[in-house]
Amino acid sequence: MTKRETMTAEELLDAVGPAFGKLRRSALLEVEDPISQKDLSRTLVLRVVLEAEQDAAEGESADGSGAGRSEAGEITVGAVARHLGVDPSVASRMVSDNISAGYLVRAASQQDGRRTVLHLSPEGRELMARFARHQRSAFECITADWPEQERLEFARLMLKYVDSQDALRPRIPGKDAPR
């Protein structure tokens, strides 16, 4: 029996926060097709744009608010800032870095030509596909000695957790939005 299996409910719940911190710090686990630290940071912005595009294809906005997005799945630098909970100037620098790296392109909005929207470039799509393969490889490496049922249950519960977190995002544009 491991130490974690003998923890009380309170001890187990108190250990969750530090565990999430360790997950973030170990994201570069050396597995097949590793991702550089710089590209790992870039995937934060790319994920926001990719999810907006995917949600548009499914007919909904990623955060349910429609903030910074049109029905066509357009996403702006402001929407990236709101989604990541950073200052617009920080988001602007992050977006510019992705553009310089060739992962994002700016375009005029099809809904309002005065607005500038973001799209993944083919290179950005390839980086996200490689990142997905890396994440899958890391998960399989880390959980290699787990029973299959536990691996699948953990994956299901992690996805449920993320869905619950997304459901807590502010629904009204600008109201209680993280700054």
Side-chain angles (χ1 to χ4, degrees), residues 1-9 11-12 147 150:
M1 187 170 276
T2 68
K3 176 185 171 191
R4 298 230 188 266
E5 291 172 325
T6 60
M7 294 173 90
T8 67
E11 291 170 330
L12 190 59
E150 286 184 9

Side-chain angles (χ1 to χ4, degrees), residues 63-69 82 170-177 179:
D63 65 4
S65 72
R69 297 183 178 95
R82 283 188 294 279
R171 298 292 183 205
I172 300 170
K175 183 174 180 174
D176 300 324
R179 294 191 185 259

Side-chain angles (χ1 to χ4, degrees), residues 43-170:
T43 63
L44 294 172
V45 172
L46 298 177
R47 172 69 55 204
V48 173
V49 177
L50 179 62
E51 287 178 356
E53 291 176 355
Q54 290 170 339
D55 289 344
E58 296 171 8
E60 60 183 68
S61 69
D63 65 4
S65 72
R69 297 183 178 95
S70 73
E71 296 79 31
E74 295 179 339
I75 189 159
T76 63
V77 173
V80 170
R82 283 188 294 279
H83 186 84
L84 296 178
V86 299
D87 188 79
S89 65
V90 172
S92 181
R93 285 191 298 275
M94 294 171 79
V95 165
S96 291
D97 176 62
N98 273 283
I99 290 169
S100 296
Y103 298 137
L104 280 179
V105 293
R106 284 191 171 118
S109 167
Q110 296 302 302
Q111 305 295 317
D112 179 352
R114 297 169 294 178
R115 286 186 334 141
T116 300
V117 295
L118 305 168
H119 298 284
L120 287 177
S121 68
E123 294 82 4
R125 290 186 191 291
E126 174 51 37
L127 175 61
M128 292 309 292
R130 190 166 63 96
F131 185 55
R133 290 189 301 272
H134 173 78
Q135 289 175 309
R136 172 76 182 256
S137 243
F139 180 80
E140 289 176 351
C141 177
I142 292 166
T143 62
D145 62 343
W146 295 18
E148 185 69 12
Q149 181 179 352
E150 286 184 9
R151 294 172 82 195
L152 295 175
E153 182 66 4
F154 178 76
R156 186 187 69 73
L157 290 172
M158 177 62 83
L159 293 172
K160 182 178 180 179
Y161 179 89
V162 170
D163 288 344
S164 294
Q165 181 181 359
D166 284 347
L168 294 175
R169 287 192 184 279

Side-chain angles (χ1 to χ4, degrees), residues 15-26 154 158 161-162 165:
V16 171
F20 278 128
K22 286 182 181 179
L23 277 176
R24 178 68 178 125
R25 288 191 306 271
S26 67
F154 178 76
M158 177 62 83
Y161 179 89
V162 170
Q165 181 181 359

